[in-house]
Amino acid sequence: MFISQQLRKENIAEYLLYMWQVEDIIRAYGCSLTALRREYIARFDYDDDKKEELIDWYGNLIRMVNQEGCREGGHIQINKVVMQQLIELHEQLLASTKFPFYNAEYYKVLPFIVELRNRGANKEENEIETCFNALYGTMMLRLQKKEISPDTQHAITEITTFIGMLSDYYKKEREEGLKFEDD
């Protein structure tokens, strides 16, 4: 919770990846707040008040996972909304002539996106979702200490740069607004 609050302010891409990991943690504990509290939250070095805040936060997320039918997989609505905001911003940036560096980065990473989509199960998935799924999958491989091929690492490096740029524009849009066309 405390990490997510900080990430949401600083880097929306890292926030979303973190929240996907939280969804997986919830599933790993069988969507049980009791198990999560006893086996996961108890390990954190927080005072009792902070632990209670964390328990409430996870409890609310577990409720969302259950109510939204995400016990086996998928993402809860609050995460889908963030993804949709990023997709919409991506489309605005591409449609505008005022962001040539973003456009250049997009076309640089597009071959990797196409290749990933062709390998994936959902060929209709949005390009931004494809990027996030690649980043998350790679993060999971690293956590499992599995090898990542040099070609995959190169693709992930490029995707990371691209999504980082999108995340920076998201923050700028939220803080001061972006001008997509000449006024």
Side-chain angles (χ1 to χ4, degrees):
M1 175 186 121
F2 309 110
I3 294 169
S4 73
Q5 289 171 339
Q6 193 63 33
L7 286 175
R8 183 153 184 131
K9 289 179 206 160
E10 294 174 7
N11 187 317
I12 199 67
E14 288 181 13
Y15 164 81
L16 192 56
L17 292 169
Y18 177 80
M19 290 302 294
W20 285 8
Q21 188 176 21
V22 167
E23 289 171 334
D24 281 346
I25 289 167
I26 287 170
R27 289 184 197 106
Y29 286 96
C31 298
S32 166
L33 185 57
T34 303
L36 200 75
R37 177 189 295 150
R38 182 180 58 242
E39 299 168 29
Y40 183 70
I41 297 171
R43 295 186 291 179
F44 290 103
D45 189 28
Y46 291 137
D47 63 36
D48 289 343
D49 289 341
K50 286 222 188 269
K51 277 188 182 174
E52 283 305 312
E53 280 184 66
L54 201 56
I55 289 165
D56 287 346
W57 185 69
Y58 271 104
N60 287 327
L61 291 173
I62 289 169
R63 194 169 14 269
M64 288 178 214
V65 166
N66 286 322
Q67 289 174 348
E68 297 174 24
C70 297
R71 287 180 68 93
E72 301 301 317
H75 302 294
I76 57 178
Q77 195 61 37
I78 59 171
N79 294 335
K80 287 179 182 178
V81 167
V82 171
M83 178 61 73
Q84 189 57 42
Q85 290 171 340
L86 288 168
I87 290 168
E88 289 169 7
L89 177 60
H90 165 71
E91 290 167 356
Q92 288 177 299
L93 291 166
L94 285 183
S96 175
T97 57
K98 296 188 125 205
F99 304 95
F101 294 114
Y102 183 83
N103 274 268
E105 196 60 41
Y106 167 70
Y107 286 107
K108 187 176 176 184
V109 84
L110 186 58
F112 301 119
I113 296 170
V114 170
E115 186 178 337
L116 287 165
R117 282 168 122 184
N118 288 337
R119 280 198 235 158
N122 185 357
K123 299 199 185 335
E124 299 302 312
E125 179 178 73
N126 181 278
E127 295 164 331
I128 301 302
E129 289 177 273
T130 299
C131 290
F132 272 90
N133 283 327
L135 293 172
Y136 190 74
T138 304
M139 186 173 82
M140 291 297 105
L141 289 173
R142 285 188 180 124
L143 287 172
Q144 297 166 19
K145 306 228 186 294
K146 293 189 177 174
E147 190 173 325
I148 298 165
S149 74
D151 286 347
T152 299
Q153 185 54 54
H154 176 68
I156 291 304
T157 299
E158 295 298 331
I159 289 169
T160 299
T161 301
F162 171 63
I163 293 298
M165 190 178 275
L166 178 60
S167 185
D168 290 345
Y169 278 122
Y170 179 92
K171 184 177 181 185
K172 186 171 182 159
E173 170 66 10
R174 293 288 177 257
E175 290 176 355
E176 52 196 81
L178 292 173
K179 290 187 177 185
F180 294 99
E181 298 303 325
D182 291 327
D183 289 335

mmCIF file of all heavy atoms in Angstrom, residues 15-16 19-20 23 68-70 73-88 129:
data_model
loop_
_atom_site.group_PDB
_atom_site.id
_atom_site.type_symbol
_atom_site.label_atom_id
_atom_site.label_comp_id
_atom_site.label_asym_id
_atom_site.label_seq_id
_atom_site.Cartn_x
_atom_site.Cartn_y
_atom_site.Cartn_z
ATOM 1 N N TYR A 15 3.960 1.521 -10.932
ATOM 2 C CA TYR A 15 2.770 1.322 -10.094
ATOM 3 C C TYR A 15 1.920 0.177 -10.642
ATOM 4 O O TYR A 15 1.505 -0.713 -9.894
ATOM 5 C CB TYR A 15 1.948 2.617 -10.035
ATOM 6 C CG TYR A 15 0.537 2.416 -9.533
ATOM 7 C CD1 TYR A 15 0.276 2.326 -8.167
ATOM 8 C CD2 TYR A 15 -0.535 2.309 -10.414
ATOM 9 C CE1 TYR A 15 -1.009 2.121 -7.696
ATOM 10 C CE2 TYR A 15 -1.819 2.111 -9.947
ATOM 11 C CZ TYR A 15 -2.055 2.019 -8.602
ATOM 12 O OH TYR A 15 -3.339 1.804 -8.140
ATOM 13 N N LEU A 16 1.652 0.208 -11.943
ATOM 14 C CA LEU A 16 0.791 -0.816 -12.533
ATOM 15 C C LEU A 16 1.424 -2.202 -12.431
ATOM 16 O O LEU A 16 0.748 -3.171 -12.062
ATOM 17 C CB LEU A 16 0.471 -0.461 -13.984
ATOM 18 C CG LEU A 16 -0.641 -1.264 -14.639
ATOM 19 C CD1 LEU A 16 -1.942 -1.180 -13.845
ATOM 20 C CD2 LEU A 16 -0.861 -0.778 -16.066
ATOM 21 N N MET A 19 1.062 -3.320 -8.904
ATOM 22 C CA MET A 19 -0.312 -3.732 -8.595
ATOM 23 C C MET A 19 -0.643 -5.096 -9.211
ATOM 24 O O MET A 19 -1.379 -5.881 -8.615
ATOM 25 C CB MET A 19 -1.310 -2.670 -9.037
ATOM 26 C CG MET A 19 -1.253 -1.400 -8.199
ATOM 27 S SD MET A 19 -1.545 -1.675 -6.427
ATOM 28 C CE MET A 19 -3.258 -2.198 -6.453
ATOM 29 N N TRP A 20 -0.090 -5.384 -10.378
ATOM 30 C CA TRP A 20 -0.279 -6.721 -10.951
ATOM 31 C C TRP A 20 0.372 -7.765 -10.058
ATOM 32 O O TRP A 20 -0.169 -8.853 -9.859
ATOM 33 C CB TRP A 20 0.325 -6.788 -12.351
ATOM 34 C CG TRP A 20 -0.487 -6.100 -13.411
ATOM 35 C CD1 TRP A 20 -1.593 -5.317 -13.250
ATOM 36 C CD2 TRP A 20 -0.242 -6.132 -14.818
ATOM 37 N NE1 TRP A 20 -2.037 -4.860 -14.463
ATOM 38 C CE2 TRP A 20 -1.222 -5.343 -15.440
ATOM 39 C CE3 TRP A 20 0.733 -6.734 -15.600
ATOM 40 C CZ2 TRP A 20 -1.275 -5.157 -16.823
ATOM 41 C CZ3 TRP A 20 0.689 -6.552 -16.978
ATOM 42 C CH2 TRP A 20 -0.310 -5.780 -17.578
ATOM 43 N N GLU A 23 -1.875 -8.365 -7.152
ATOM 44 C CA GLU A 23 -2.965 -9.277 -7.532
ATOM 45 C C GLU A 23 -2.491 -10.724 -7.464
ATOM 46 O O GLU A 23 -3.206 -11.594 -6.948
ATOM 47 C CB GLU A 23 -3.450 -8.969 -8.958
ATOM 48 C CG GLU A 23 -4.203 -7.675 -9.097
ATOM 49 C CD GLU A 23 -4.479 -7.299 -10.550
ATOM 50 O OE1 GLU A 23 -3.715 -7.718 -11.457
ATOM 51 O OE2 GLU A 23 -5.466 -6.576 -10.777
ATOM 52 N N GLU A 68 -15.005 -9.020 -8.724
ATOM 53 C CA GLU A 68 -14.786 -8.795 -10.150
ATOM 54 C C GLU A 68 -14.379 -10.058 -10.897
ATOM 55 O O GLU A 68 -14.023 -10.001 -12.074
ATOM 56 C CB GLU A 68 -13.749 -7.680 -10.339
ATOM 57 C CG GLU A 68 -14.225 -6.349 -9.781
ATOM 58 C CD GLU A 68 -13.173 -5.250 -9.826
ATOM 59 O OE1 GLU A 68 -12.248 -5.326 -10.664
ATOM 60 O OE2 GLU A 68 -13.285 -4.316 -9.015
ATOM 61 N N GLY A 69 -14.424 -11.198 -10.204
ATOM 62 C CA GLY A 69 -14.142 -12.467 -10.857
ATOM 63 C C GLY A 69 -12.700 -12.638 -11.302
ATOM 64 O O GLY A 69 -12.434 -13.220 -12.350
ATOM 65 N N CYS A 70 -11.786 -12.157 -10.501
ATOM 66 C CA CYS A 70 -10.357 -12.228 -10.865
ATOM 67 C C CYS A 70 -9.575 -13.201 -9.985
ATOM 68 O O CYS A 70 -8.354 -13.087 -9.871
ATOM 69 C CB CYS A 70 -9.736 -10.831 -10.779
ATOM 70 S SG CYS A 70 -10.433 -9.647 -11.930
ATOM 71 N N GLY A 73 -7.312 -15.144 -12.458
ATOM 72 C CA GLY A 73 -6.460 -14.346 -13.335
ATOM 73 C C GLY A 73 -7.168 -13.077 -13.760
ATOM 74 O O GLY A 73 -8.309 -12.818 -13.361
ATOM 75 N N GLY A 74 -6.487 -12.297 -14.560
ATOM 76 C CA GLY A 74 -7.049 -11.030 -15.001
ATOM 77 C C GLY A 74 -6.718 -9.926 -14.016
ATOM 78 O O GLY A 74 -5.996 -10.133 -13.041
ATOM 79 N N HIS A 75 -7.247 -8.752 -14.310
ATOM 80 C CA HIS A 75 -6.925 -7.582 -13.495
ATOM 81 C C HIS A 75 -8.196 -6.909 -12.990
ATOM 82 O O HIS A 75 -9.208 -6.877 -13.679
ATOM 83 C CB HIS A 75 -6.088 -6.586 -14.305
ATOM 84 C CG HIS A 75 -4.828 -7.193 -14.822
ATOM 85 N ND1 HIS A 75 -3.815 -7.610 -13.985
ATOM 86 C CD2 HIS A 75 -4.422 -7.484 -16.078
ATOM 87 C CE1 HIS A 75 -2.840 -8.129 -14.711
ATOM 88 N NE2 HIS A 75 -3.188 -8.072 -15.985
ATOM 89 N N ILE A 76 -8.086 -6.375 -11.785
ATOM 90 C CA ILE A 76 -9.225 -5.681 -11.195
ATOM 91 C C ILE A 76 -9.433 -4.336 -11.875
ATOM 92 O O ILE A 76 -8.536 -3.807 -12.526
ATOM 93 C CB ILE A 76 -9.070 -5.529 -9.657
ATOM 94 C CG1 ILE A 76 -7.789 -4.803 -9.295
ATOM 95 C CG2 ILE A 76 -9.179 -6.885 -8.972
ATOM 96 C CD1 ILE A 76 -7.584 -4.557 -7.801
ATOM 97 N N GLN A 77 -10.615 -3.792 -11.720
ATOM 98 C CA GLN A 77 -11.020 -2.595 -12.435
ATOM 99 C C GLN A 77 -10.096 -1.405 -12.201
ATOM 100 O O GLN A 77 -9.794 -0.678 -13.138
ATOM 101 C CB GLN A 77 -12.468 -2.236 -12.052
ATOM 102 C CG GLN A 77 -13.111 -1.238 -12.980
ATOM 103 C CD GLN A 77 -13.224 -1.725 -14.421
ATOM 104 O OE1 GLN A 77 -13.464 -2.889 -14.680
ATOM 105 N NE2 GLN A 77 -13.019 -0.814 -15.356
ATOM 106 N N ILE A 78 -9.631 -1.212 -10.974
ATOM 107 C CA ILE A 78 -8.761 -0.048 -10.731
ATOM 108 C C ILE A 78 -7.489 -0.127 -11.570
ATOM 109 O O ILE A 78 -6.965 0.892 -12.007
ATOM 110 C CB ILE A 78 -8.418 0.151 -9.223
ATOM 111 C CG1 ILE A 78 -7.708 -1.065 -8.627
ATOM 112 C CG2 ILE A 78 -9.657 0.513 -8.427
ATOM 113 C CD1 ILE A 78 -7.157 -0.851 -7.237
ATOM 114 N N ASN A 79 -7.017 -1.329 -11.838
ATOM 115 C CA ASN A 79 -5.831 -1.495 -12.673
ATOM 116 C C ASN A 79 -6.184 -1.377 -14.156
ATOM 117 O O ASN A 79 -5.392 -0.851 -14.940
ATOM 118 C CB ASN A 79 -5.143 -2.818 -12.372
ATOM 119 C CG ASN A 79 -4.570 -2.839 -10.975
ATOM 120 O OD1 ASN A 79 -4.266 -1.798 -10.390
ATOM 121 N ND2 ASN A 79 -4.420 -4.018 -10.408
ATOM 122 N N LYS A 80 -7.364 -1.844 -14.521
ATOM 123 C CA LYS A 80 -7.815 -1.702 -15.909
ATOM 124 C C LYS A 80 -7.992 -0.229 -16.271
ATOM 125 O O LYS A 80 -7.700 0.168 -17.399
ATOM 126 C CB LYS A 80 -9.136 -2.442 -16.119
ATOM 127 C CG LYS A 80 -9.010 -3.941 -16.139
ATOM 128 C CD LYS A 80 -10.378 -4.556 -16.333
ATOM 129 C CE LYS A 80 -10.349 -6.062 -16.312
ATOM 130 N NZ LYS A 80 -11.702 -6.612 -16.465
ATOM 131 N N VAL A 81 -8.452 0.566 -15.327
ATOM 132 C CA VAL A 81 -8.642 1.998 -15.575
ATOM 133 C C VAL A 81 -7.295 2.670 -15.848
ATOM 134 O O VAL A 81 -7.163 3.472 -16.784
ATOM 135 C CB VAL A 81 -9.380 2.682 -14.397
ATOM 136 C CG1 VAL A 81 -9.301 4.195 -14.480
ATOM 137 C CG2 VAL A 81 -10.831 2.220 -14.350
ATOM 138 N N VAL A 82 -6.292 2.347 -15.062
ATOM 139 C CA VAL A 82 -4.953 2.915 -15.284
ATOM 140 C C VAL A 82 -4.444 2.502 -16.659
ATOM 141 O O VAL A 82 -3.909 3.333 -17.412
ATOM 142 C CB VAL A 82 -3.965 2.489 -14.175
ATOM 143 C CG1 VAL A 82 -2.539 2.900 -14.528
ATOM 144 C CG2 VAL A 82 -4.375 3.093 -12.841
ATOM 145 N N MET A 83 -4.619 1.231 -17.015
ATOM 146 C CA MET A 83 -4.180 0.759 -18.329
ATOM 147 C C MET A 83 -4.906 1.543 -19.425
ATOM 148 O O MET A 83 -4.281 1.983 -20.398
ATOM 149 C CB MET A 83 -4.442 -0.744 -18.480
ATOM 150 C CG MET A 83 -4.062 -1.290 -19.851
ATOM 151 S SD MET A 83 -2.312 -1.115 -20.272
ATOM 152 C CE MET A 83 -1.603 -2.364 -19.216
ATOM 153 N N GLN A 84 -6.204 1.736 -19.266
ATOM 154 C CA GLN A 84 -6.967 2.469 -20.278
ATOM 155 C C GLN A 84 -6.487 3.921 -20.393
ATOM 156 O O GLN A 84 -6.389 4.455 -21.496
ATOM 157 C CB GLN A 84 -8.471 2.419 -19.966
ATOM 158 C CG GLN A 84 -9.333 2.974 -21.077
ATOM 159 C CD GLN A 84 -9.118 2.270 -22.410
ATOM 160 O OE1 GLN A 84 -9.002 1.060 -22.487
ATOM 161 N NE2 GLN A 84 -9.046 3.056 -23.486
ATOM 162 N N GLN A 85 -6.160 4.527 -19.279
ATOM 163 C CA GLN A 85 -5.626 5.896 -19.307
ATOM 164 C C GLN A 85 -4.304 5.945 -20.079
ATOM 165 O O GLN A 85 -4.059 6.870 -20.860
ATOM 166 C CB GLN A 85 -5.423 6.429 -17.890
ATOM 167 C CG GLN A 85 -6.708 6.701 -17.150
ATOM 168 C CD GLN A 85 -6.477 7.017 -15.679
ATOM 169 O OE1 GLN A 85 -5.431 6.694 -15.106
ATOM 170 N NE2 GLN A 85 -7.466 7.627 -15.050
ATOM 171 N N LEU A 86 -3.466 4.955 -19.861
ATOM 172 C CA LEU A 86 -2.184 4.899 -20.574
ATOM 173 C C LEU A 86 -2.389 4.662 -22.071
ATOM 174 O O LEU A 86 -1.707 5.276 -22.901
ATOM 175 C CB LEU A 86 -1.286 3.815 -19.972
ATOM 176 C CG LEU A 86 -0.713 4.143 -18.600
ATOM 177 C CD1 LEU A 86 -0.089 2.912 -17.962
ATOM 178 C CD2 LEU A 86 0.293 5.272 -18.686
ATOM 179 N N ILE A 87 -3.331 3.813 -22.412
ATOM 180 C CA ILE A 87 -3.640 3.545 -23.819
ATOM 181 C C ILE A 87 -4.141 4.821 -24.492
ATOM 182 O O ILE A 87 -3.703 5.166 -25.602
ATOM 183 C CB ILE A 87 -4.672 2.404 -23.946
ATOM 184 C CG1 ILE A 87 -4.033 1.064 -23.549
ATOM 185 C CG2 ILE A 87 -5.270 2.342 -25.355
ATOM 186 C CD1 ILE A 87 -5.018 -0.074 -23.355
ATOM 187 N N GLU A 88 -5.036 5.524 -23.827
ATOM 188 C CA GLU A 88 -5.580 6.760 -24.397
ATOM 189 C C GLU A 88 -4.494 7.825 -24.553
ATOM 190 O O GLU A 88 -4.441 8.517 -25.586
ATOM 191 C CB GLU A 88 -6.732 7.281 -23.536
ATOM 192 C CG GLU A 88 -7.972 6.419 -23.655
ATOM 193 C CD GLU A 88 -9.046 6.733 -22.622
ATOM 194 O OE1 GLU A 88 -8.911 7.727 -21.871
ATOM 195 O OE2 GLU A 88 -10.032 5.964 -22.568
ATOM 196 N N GLU A 129 -0.723 -2.863 -23.635
ATOM 197 C CA GLU A 129 -0.905 -4.064 -22.808
ATOM 198 C C GLU A 129 0.164 -5.105 -23.142
ATOM 199 O O GLU A 129 0.697 -5.760 -22.234
ATOM 200 C CB GLU A 129 -2.286 -4.665 -23.031
ATOM 201 C CG GLU A 129 -3.414 -3.845 -22.455
ATOM 202 C CD GLU A 129 -4.757 -4.453 -22.781
ATOM 203 O OE1 GLU A 129 -5.299 -4.147 -23.852
ATOM 204 O OE2 GLU A 129 -5.255 -5.240 -21.948
#
